[in-house]
Amino acid sequence: MYEVHISEKPPRRLAALPHTGSFEEIGATFGQTCQLLEERGQLGRAGCMIGVYWDNPILVPPGGLHSHAGIDIPADMAVDPPLEEVRLSGGRHAVLRYKGPYSGLGSAYRYLFANWLPQNHELQGEGPVIEIYRNASMDTPSDQLVTEICVPLL
């Protein structure tokens, strides 16, 4: 149904803004993150957008979910408030490559957690689930959006 592979993800450093609430509403926070970096002349040195999801939406009500809307940045780039530096440790991850509108991510998550992980005898490890956005909704048709869902593994 979906393409999933195991990958060794590198450590990453992000400039990010925190987001509290439904994960589906993080888009505006990404817009603010990009705007701040653009205003500071830093967006050109930044990499891809990365969503960092700290909570399990099955266990935490939508209003209490915590995440970060981040952008991959080089080691020497300054991170000034209100942006926060978020460091991701990397390591072994299950990576599901999803192509399509963001509204379809829920079914990709269900497949990954309910089917792929148990069928492959893998368990979720410590750390956040991240989404790496390989292109952006502002310049890509929704059916061509590519999102990598990355789940840390034990």
Side-chain angles (χ1 to χ4, degrees), residues 1-4 96-97 107-108 110-111 115:
M1 180 174 212
Y2 295 97
E3 172 190 330
V4 182
L96 183 148
R97 180 180 167 86
S107 63
R110 283 188 290 282
Y111 171 79
N115 299 96

Side-chain angles (χ1 to χ4, degrees), residues 7 12 14 22 27 43-45 55 71 79 93 102 116 127:
S7 175
R12 294 181 185 269
L14 309 179
S22 171
L43 193 57
R45 293 189 60 213
D55 298 315
I71 298 184
V79 178
H93 284 72
Y102 297 140
W116 192 90

Side-chain angles (χ1 to χ4, degrees), residues 95-128:
V95 180
L96 183 148
R97 180 180 167 86
Y98 169 78
K99 184 176 181 183
Y102 297 140
S103 61
L105 283 168
S107 63
Y109 270 93
R110 283 188 290 282
Y111 171 79
L112 183 57
F113 281 95
N115 299 96
W116 192 90
L117 287 173
Q119 289 171 3
N120 289 276
H121 309 290
E122 294 288 352
L123 296 172
Q124 183 176 359
E126 292 293 319

Side-chain angles (χ1 to χ4, degrees), residues 24-104:
E24 289 81 17
E25 297 171 1
I26 197 170
T29 308
F30 272 110
Q32 294 168 354
T33 303
C34 291
Q35 182 179 349
L36 283 167
L37 289 174
E38 178 69 29
E39 289 170 358
R40 296 171 184 182
Q42 296 175 309
L43 193 57
R45 293 189 60 213
C48 56
M49 294 187 298
I50 298 178
V52 183
Y53 301 96
W54 300 102
D55 298 315
N56 180 336
I58 294 172
L59 303 175
V60 177
L65 293 170
H66 295 90
S67 55
H68 275 91
I71 298 184
D72 203 2
I73 59 168
D76 64 342
M77 185 182 286
V79 178
D80 297 314
L83 293 170
E84 299 176 0
E85 179 182 72
V86 175
R87 290 193 178 262
L88 302 173
S89 59
R92 188 170 172 265
H93 284 72
V95 180
L96 183 148
R97 180 180 167 86
Y98 169 78
K99 184 176 181 183
Y102 297 140
S103 61

